[in-house]
Amino acid sequence: MTTAMQDSPGHESAGTKTYLRIDDLTKNFGAFTALRDVSLEIYEGEFVCFLGPSGCGKTTLLRCIAGLDYQTAGRIAQGGTDISALPPSERDFGIVFQSYALFPNLTVQKNIAYGLENRKVGKADTERKVAELLELVGLEGQGPKYPAQLSGGQQQRVALARALATSPGLLLLDEPLSALDARVRVHLRHEIRQLQERLGVTTIMVTHDQEEALTMADRIVVMNHGVIEQIGTPTEVYGTPKTAFVADFVGTMNFMPGTAAGAGRVRLGTVELNCAAMNGISEGTPVTVAVRPEDFVVRCTDGANGNAFEAEIDDMEFLGSFYRAELKVPGMGESRIVVDLSVNAVRDLELAGGRSLPVAVPSDHILVFPAD
Amino acid sequence: MAVTTIGAGAVKPKVSGDERMMRVGIVVIGLFLLIGLLLPLYAMMSKSFQDSDGNFIGLANYAEYFSTPALFFSIYNSLTVSVLATVITISFAFVYAYALTRSCMPFKGVFRAIALIPILAPSLLPAISLVYFFGKQGIIKSWLFGESIYGPIGIVIGEVFWTFPHAMMILVTALSITDARLYEAAAALRTSKIRTFFTVTLPGAKYGVISAIFVVFTLVFTDFGVPKVIGGQYNVLSVDIYKQVIGQQNFEMGAVVSVVLLIPAVISFTIDRIVQRRQVALLSARAVPLEPKPNRTIDTSMLIVCGIIAFVIVSIIVMAGYASFVQFWPYNLNLVLSNYDFDVMDGGGWDSYTNSIQMAAWTAVIGTAFIFTGAYLVEKGQGFKKGRTVIHFLAILPLAVPGMVLGLSYIFFFNHPDNPFGFIYHTMAILVVVTIAHFYTVSHLTAVTALKQMDPEFEAVSASLKVPFYKTFWRVTVPVCMPSIINIAVYLFVNAMTTVSAVIFLYAPDTTLAAVAVLNMDDAGDIAPAAAMAMLIFATNAVLYSIYSLGTRGLQARTQAWRKR
Ligand SMILES: Nc1ncnc2c1ncn2[C@@H]1O[C@H](COP(=O)(O)OP(=O)(O)O)[C@@H](O)[C@H]1O
Ligand SMILES: [Mg+2]
C-alpha cells in the first residue's frame, strides 16, 4: 500500500510542509467574479474546511483545485508541481460530492473498485483492496448491494471509499454531510475525521455549517463574496475573528455600535469600556463592538477594573445547560444584548426577568471593528 | 509539465485526451448535420433563385409562382385544411386526454393503446381507408350528402386520424402535471365544476394545448401522404412540390414551393420552442399529483365519448385491413390473399418491404448510436462550449424542416456532379441518412432528457479516478439510459417504416420502399394492394411495438434491477 494508507501520528501534528499552494486565484463567470485574489497554503496531512455562506465561492474554489473549472488567473501548485493548467485526469485527488454521484447501476463493490480497474491492479488485489476499504468505512458485507438499497449515510461512506480507493494525495469533500439528517451527520463528522487522521491524507472539506467546521478542521478558511476573510485554527477563528463578518458568521455575537474613545477605550452610549485590541483605530471613529454571549461576567464584577455596566434582564430562556438572556442596558439605548448565564450563576444570584444587575466584560474579550 | 501562462497570470488549460476525443466527436456530429441538413437546405434555397441552367435570376421564380393562381392558391388550401384539422384534432384529443388523466373511466389502458395506433401506420393508410368508406364505391358514401371525399373533407378526416396520437400524448403530459392543491382550494371555495375547469384546468394545461396546436398544425401543413391519396383536385403545397418535381421536372419551381412550405413550418416551430421552454419551468415546480375521484356522470360520459373516438380509430384500421383481403371491391367480397402478391404489381413488390425493413433497421441502429452519442457530447462534454451550442441548435432544427423539403434538398445537394458525397445518391445509404436527419430532433430531445436526469458529477468523478470518459459512458451512462435508448430506436424504426415524404425523391429502382410502394400502387389504381402494403407496414410496427411494450417490462426487471430499493 502507498504512504497514504499508513497511519499518521494524528490530529495536532499535521505537518507544516506545504502540500497545496494557491496564489492570487481569480475566477470569473462572465462579468461575475466568483473568486478574487485567493491565496492560501495547505499543509501536508492537514484537514482544512472552507467555510462560508451559500454562494460565497467555496465550491468554485474546490472545483478549481480539482481542475473541474479553470481559474481565470492565478496558480495552483500541488506537492511542489504547478498544476494550474492540468485537466482533472492529470491531477491527484479524490472527490466526494454532495450528491455522492454513485454509479446507480454498479454494486457497492464495483463502485469502489471503479478507479482501480483502470490501473492494471490484479483482480485479487482489487478484491482485497475493496474489502479493506469496506471495512475501513464500516460497510463490511454490503459490497454486493446497489447504492439505492443503502441509506444516505451508507451511500456517503461508499462515495468516500471510492474516492480513497486510488490512494489520492488530496481528498476533496464538497458538503459531504449536508444531505443527511442531523443525527447521522454528527456521527459521520467523527468518523470522517478519524479516518482522515488514520490515513493522513490532506483533506479539504467545503461546508456552510460553522459547527461542522469548528469540530472537524485543523484550520478553517472563512470565505465571503469570493474573498478569504480569515484563515486560522477553530480557536483563532472563534476567539479572535479578524473581521466583523467572521465574528458574525462563526458562533453567536453581540454587535454594538460605538465610538473609539482613544487609548484602548470604546464608548457605547454612555458606557465606556477598556478593550485590549483597538486595531489601530483612531479616536472619534465610529466602531462596531463585538462580544460573545458567553464572555459577559455577572459574578465578582467589582474586580473588573471598571469594565462593568448596569443592565436589566428583559427575557430569559432556559437551554438545558445554561440560560440565554436578553439584557436591556439603560446607557445603550433601545438595543438588547444577548448574554449566556450559567445555571449556577442564575441560581446563586437569584436571577429572573426584570432583575437589574451589574455586568462586566474582560477587556481582552472585547473586539472592535471599524463600523461599516 | 505543459503549463502555459499568458499575460498576467491568465491560465490556458491543457486539453486532456478525453477532451480532445470529445471534440473530435462533436466535430463529426457537426459535419453530419452540416452535410445531412444545412448544405442540402442551402442548395435547395439557392436553386429557387436560379433558372434551369443554373443561372442566378433573382426573384423571377417567385414572381412566376405568385402570378400563377393555380400555384399560389395552394397556400390558402394548405392553411385551410391545417386550421380545420388542428381545431378538430385538438378538441377530440383534449377530451380524450382529459378522460385518461382526470376521470375514473374504466379501461384506460385499452383506450391509451388504441389512441396510439395511428402512429404505427403510414399517413397513406387512413386516406386509403376513407376511400373504402366514402369513395365512389364506399360503403357509407351517402353520409357525405353528395359531397366528395376527394378534397378537403377527406384530407381533414385523414389528418385528424393521423395526428390524433401526437396531440393526445402532449395533452396527457400537460394534464398530468397539475397541482392537486389548486383543486382542493377551488373546492374549498365552493367553485362550481365548470368554473373550476375554466379557471384551473385550462390555464394549467395552457402550454400543452399551445404546443399541441403547433405540432398538429405543422404535421398537417407539411404532410404529403393523406392529400396525395385523397386530395383529388384540391392542391396543397406538399403535393405541389411532388407534382412540380416528378410530374413536370420543374425543379426550380419545386424549390420555390419548398421555401413557401418551409417558412410557416419554421415560424410554427419557433413559437413552439418558446412555449415549451416555459413549460419546463412549470414541470420542475413541486406539485402534489392529482388523484381523480369517481364521478358517475363524468366517468360515464367520458366513456361514451372516448368509446366513439376509439371506435372510429379502430374502424379505420379494420376497414383497410378488411379491404386488403377482399378479392374485388365491391363486387366480389370473397376474402383472398391475392392483394398481397405484390410481385405482380408496380411499386417494387415484396422487395420494397424487405428494403423498408432493412432501411428501418439501419436507421434505428446507426441513428440511435449516433444521436445518443451526440446528445451525450452536447450534454456532458467539457469545454468547446461553442461547438456544443451549435450542435444543440442544429439538432433541434430538423423538426422545422418538412420531409418533402428535405428530400428535394438532397436531390439538389447529393446529385450535384461536383459533390464528393455524390456516390451515396441512389443507394440505401442516402435513405438511411435522410431518415436519420428527418427524425433527429425528437430522438435527440429524448436522449437529452434522459441524460439530464443523470448526476452531473459522474464525469467529474470518473476523471478524478482517471477513468477515460468513454469507459464511464459505456459502463454507466448507456446502461442507465437503456430504456430511453430503446425508446429512440423504436421511434426511429417505426418512423422509417412509415415515412414517405423524405424518401419519395430519393429511392432508386433497387431501393424501393414499402410506404412508397403504397403510394405508387394507389397512384396506379391498385388500391387494394396499396391497402395490403399499408397494413403490412402497420402490422410490422404493431408487432415491434408490442414486443417493445412487453419487453421493456421484462428488461426493466432484469437489467434495471438497481432501480429497486
Ligand atoms: N458555472 C457557473 N456559471 C455562472 N455562475 C456560477 C457558476 N458556478 C457558480 N457560479 C456562481 O458563483 C458563485 C459561487 O458559487 P459556489 O462556488 O457554488 O458557491 P458555494 O460557496 O455555495 O459553494 C455563486 O454566486 C454562483 O451563482
Ligand atoms: Mg457549494
Side-chain angles (χ1 to χ4, degrees):
Chain A
M1 221 58 306
T2 61
T3 47
M5 291 298 277
Q6 282 161 14
D7 280 1
S8 114
H11 196 157
E12 288 76 23
S13 59
T16 45
K17 210 173 117 207
T18 302
Y19 180 67
L20 191 76
R21 190 191 164 90
I22 297 172
D23 288 315
D24 294 325
L25 204 78
T26 295
K27 171 73 187 172
N28 298 330
F29 290 111
F32 175 74
T33 303
L35 295 172
R36 188 193 307 273
D37 289 333
V38 168
S39 297
L40 93 124
E41 278 181 25
I42 290 169
Y43 307 122
E44 200 158 290
E46 215 183 4
F47 193 113
V48 170
C49 277
F50 292 171
L51 174 67
S54 179
C56 72
K58 308 177 296 286
T59 298
T60 306
L61 181 54
L62 199 76
R63 291 178 68 89
C64 286
I65 294 171
L68 298 169
D69 277 331
Y70 288 102
Q71 65 271 29
T72 313
R75 301 170 147 273
I76 304 173
Q78 184 176 3
T81 314
D82 190 337
I83 56 164
S84 306
L86 296 185
S89 54
E90 292 176 34
R91 300 188 187 193
D92 176 22
F93 69 96
I95 191 162
V96 174
F97 291 100
Q98 192 173 355
S99 65
Y100 316 141
L102 295 175
F103 303 128
N105 62 323
L106 302 182
T107 59
V108 167
Q109 245 156 358
K110 294 228 169 98
N111 262 287
I112 296 176
Y114 200 77
L116 296 171
E117 287 169 10
N118 218 43
R119 308 199 166 194
K120 317 253 182 305
V121 183
K123 201 166 174 207
D125 280 345
T126 304
E127 269 171 31
R128 199 172 43 74
K129 183 76 194 268
V130 169
E132 206 177 292
L133 284 158
L134 278 172
E135 198 196 315
L136 192 70
V137 297
L139 288 176
E140 298 95 330
Q142 308 279 10
K145 287 192 180 168
Y146 287 103
Q149 296 166 322
L150 303 180
S151 71
Q154 288 174 320
Q155 292 183 20
Q156 211 280 332
R157 289 166 214 232
V158 176
L160 200 58
R162 182 178 64 182
L164 290 169
T166 52
S167 311
L170 179 64
L171 180 62
L172 305 176
L173 311 169
D174 190 355
E175 311 237 3
L177 303 175
S178 63
L180 302 169
D181 50 17
R183 216 169 42 79
V184 184
R185 196 153 60 204
V186 172
H187 180 66
L188 269 174
R189 271 185 208 163
H190 293 285
E191 280 199 9
I192 291 180
R193 185 62 232 224
Q194 269 173 5
L195 192 68
Q196 187 269 340
E197 280 173 15
R198 256 172 78 189
L199 302 177
V201 56
T202 312
T203 302
I204 301 174
M205 183 174 99
V206 162
T207 179
H208 64 264
D209 180 340
Q210 40 125 350
E211 201 177 296
E212 212 164 278
L214 290 172
T215 52
M216 294 176 79
D218 288 323
R219 285 193 305 148
I220 298 175
V221 176
V222 187
M223 299 177 62
N224 189 28
H225 291 314
V227 297
I228 294 182
E229 296 265 338
Q230 182 169 5
I231 305 177
T233 63
T235 332
E236 285 166 358
V237 167
Y238 188 85
T240 51
K242 277 202 189 134
T243 64
F245 170 80
V246 176
D248 187 26
F249 191 75
V250 180
T252 315
M253 186 64 90
N254 286 292
F255 287 103
M256 296 161 280
T259 347
R265 286 182 73 75
V266 284
R267 189 180 305 116
L268 301 158
T270 57
V271 179
E272 245 188 61
L273 298 172
N274 290 317
C275 56
M278 274 302 285
N279 294 332
I281 295 168
S282 58
E283 190 175 342
T285 320
V287 292
T288 301
V289 177
V291 183
R292 297 232 179 255
E294 68 270 24
D295 286 337
F296 291 101
V297 181
V298 292
R299 292 174 193 256
C300 314
T301 46
D302 311 340
N305 306 335
N307 246 14
F309 49 87
E310 274 300 308
E312 185 192 323
I313 299 177
D314 202 32
D315 188 28
M316 232 162 79
E317 193 182 6
F318 180 50
L319 292 173
S321 52
F322 66 96
Y323 288 84
R324 177 152 288 182
E326 272 193 26
L327 272 56
K328 198 157 63 183
V329 183
M332 289 188 213
E334 279 306 295
S335 60
R336 302 280 183 275
I337 57 173
V338 176
V339 175
D340 287 352
L341 303 169
S342 69
V343 176
N344 56 49
V346 171
R347 192 168 50 221
D348 296 351
L349 301 174
E350 296 176 346
L351 298 179
R355 269 279 312 265
S356 283
L357 75 166
V359 176
V361 208
S363 60
D364 53 347
H365 287 304
I366 297 182
L367 301 162
V368 182
F369 302 107
D372 45 23
Chain B
M1 202 92 320
V3 175
T4 337
T5 17
I6 308 168
V11 174
K12 186 171 185 295
K14 184 184 158 193
V15 177
S16 67
D18 269 14
E19 209 181 317
R20 203 169 304 128
M21 217 180 296
M22 284 182 160
R23 281 179 191 219
V24 171
I26 287 171
V27 170
V28 169
I29 308 269
L31 281 177
F32 173 82
L33 287 165
L34 186 72
I35 294 166
L37 184 70
L38 277 193
L39 291 179
L41 282 179
Y42 173 77
M44 185 273 293
M45 287 193 194
S46 47
K47 198 78 179 175
S48 72
F49 299 108
Q50 292 169 5
D51 64 15
S52 55
D53 296 328
N55 303 312
F56 181 79
I57 50 165
L59 290 170
N61 290 330
Y62 289 89
E64 189 190 336
Y65 179 83
F66 284 103
S67 58
T68 315
L71 284 174
F72 76 75
F73 210 71
S74 298
I75 300 177
Y76 173 77
N77 286 351
S78 280
L79 285 173
T80 309
V81 290
S82 302
V83 170
L84 277 174
T86 305
V87 170
I88 298 171
T89 305
I90 298 294
S91 316
F92 286 163
F94 189 90
V95 176
Y96 208 92
Y98 186 89
L100 286 179
T101 52
R102 302 289 180 84
S103 80
C104 289
M105 169 182 85
F107 314 120
K108 279 188 191 172
V110 177
F111 280 117
R112 193 184 284 257
I114 290 175
L116 292 179
I117 285 178
I119 282 194
L120 306 175
S123 65
L124 302 150
L125 187 141
I128 291 172
S129 202
L130 288 176
V131 171
Y132 283 104
F133 276 116
F134 304 106
K136 292 192 186 69
Q137 284 149 346
I139 51 169
I140 48 171
K141 188 178 167 217
S142 58
W143 289 23
L144 290 182
F145 302 108
E147 293 291 329
S148 169
I149 192 72
Y150 295 98
I153 298 177
I155 297 177
V156 169
I157 301 177
E159 298 290 11
V160 168
F161 172 85
W162 183 61
T163 56
F164 181 78
H166 298 272
M168 189 216 56
M169 284 191 289
I170 296 171
L171 292 172
V172 161
T173 311
L175 287 167
S176 306
I177 46 159
T178 190
D179 198 336
R181 290 171 295 186
L182 289 175
Y183 289 87
E184 282 158 14
L189 295 169
R190 295 181 195 284
T191 317
S192 74
K193 283 248 150 35
I194 304 223
R195 214 175 115 81
T196 307
F197 179 83
F198 283 103
T199 54
V200 180
T201 309
L202 267 188
K206 183 174 64 189
Y207 293 124
V209 173
I210 296 173
S211 183
I213 287 174
F214 283 109
V215 166
V216 172
F217 179 88
T218 313
L219 280 173
V220 178
F221 193 76
T222 60
D223 181 44
F224 171 66
V226 172
K228 176 72 186 69
V229 171
I230 208 157
Q233 302 304 313
Y234 194 81
N235 290 331
V236 296
L237 290 169
S238 55
V239 179
D240 281 352
I241 299 179
Y242 182 74
K243 284 183 183 161
Q244 290 296 331
V245 172
I246 301 291
Q248 310 187 6
Q249 298 287 312
N250 187 345
F251 290 93
E252 294 69 35
M253 197 47 75
V256 170
V257 185
S258 292
V259 173
V260 173
L261 183 65
L262 186 59
I263 290 168
V266 169
I267 293 172
S268 161
F269 156 85
T270 312
I271 299 175
D272 182 44
R273 293 306 307 167
I274 295 167
V275 170
Q276 288 202 2
R277 202 162 295 160
R278 298 212 184 151
Q279 177 152 26
V280 170
L282 202 77
L283 255 168
S284 55
R286 288 221 166 270
V288 179
L290 183 76
E291 284 291 331
K293 292 187 188 66
N295 177 323
R296 215 97 188 219
T297 331
I298 292 183
D299 296 347
T300 314
S301 38
M302 285 297 167
L303 183 64
I304 293 170
V305 176
C306 291
I308 293 170
I309 294 175
F311 178 78
V312 172
I313 293 175
V314 171
S315 344
I316 286 178
I317 289 288
V318 166
M319 174 52 98
Y322 172 65
S324 76
F325 292 110
V326 165
Q327 191 163 13
F328 190 51
W329 186 278
Y331 308 107
N332 180 351
L333 297 180
N334 285 344
L335 298 183
V336 292
L337 281 174
S338 60
N339 293 324
Y340 285 81
D341 195 2
F342 302 124
D343 287 340
V344 302
M345 280 162 272
D346 286 342
W350 273 93
D351 281 353
S352 61
Y353 177 70
T354 46
N355 283 341
S356 264
I357 297 272
Q358 254 187 58
M359 196 275 270
W362 282 118
T363 303
V365 172
I366 299 175
T368 306
F370 195 81
I371 295 171
F372 186 80
T373 311
Y376 172 81
L377 294 175
V378 166
E379 197 51 39
K380 304 284 179 182
Q382 292 123 32
F384 203 28
K385 188 113 200 302
K386 271 193 207 112
R388 291 191 284 133
T389 314
V390 169
I391 299 291
H392 191 60
F393 173 74
L394 287 181
I396 306 288
L397 200 57
L399 198 60
V401 181
M404 296 299 286
V405 175
L406 195 61
L408 184 60
S409 303
Y410 270 47
I411 300 186
F412 295 140
F413 182 67
F414 286 101
N415 199 24
H416 196 281
D418 297 336
N419 189 328
F421 301 101
F423 65 90
I424 73 164
Y425 196 67
H426 273 174
T427 64
M428 182 65 93
I430 198 170
L431 300 176
V432 172
V433 171
V434 78
T435 310
I436 294 175
H438 188 189
F439 298 108
Y440 202 102
T441 307
V442 173
S443 314
H444 175 79
L445 292 178
T446 308
V448 166
T449 308
L451 287 164
K452 272 198 199 300
Q453 284 164 3
M454 306 253 304
D455 194 307
E457 313 294 7
F458 284 163
E459 282 66 34
V461 165
S462 80
S464 83
L465 296 171
K466 320 263 182 293
V467 177
F469 83 96
Y470 52 84
K471 207 168 159 191
T472 304
F473 174 71
W474 191 244
R475 282 201 57 193
V476 179
T477 313
V478 169
V480 170
C481 293
M482 197 41 91
S484 302
I485 291 176
I486 294 175
N487 186 348
I488 293 170
V490 169
Y491 168 84
L492 285 175
F493 187 95
V494 165
N495 278 292
M497 284 301 290
T498 57
T499 189
V500 183
S501 57
V503 294
I504 188 85
F505 297 132
L506 300 173
Y507 70 92
D510 59 340
T511 57
T512 52
L513 297 171
V516 176
V518 176
L519 187 131
N520 286 339
M521 289 190 284
D522 173 80
D523 236 7
D526 295 331
I527 304 183
M533 187 65 97
M535 280 309 288
L536 201 57
I537 296 171
F538 169 73
T540 308
N541 282 339
V543 167
L544 178 80
Y545 211 83
S546 315
I547 295 173
Y548 164 67
S549 307
L550 297 175
T552 39
R553 265 178 241 161
L555 186 88
Q556 206 100 11
R558 266 182 298 115
T559 68
Q560 309 280 301
W562 49 269
R563 282 186 201 275
K564 281 204 225 62
R565 288 210 136 250

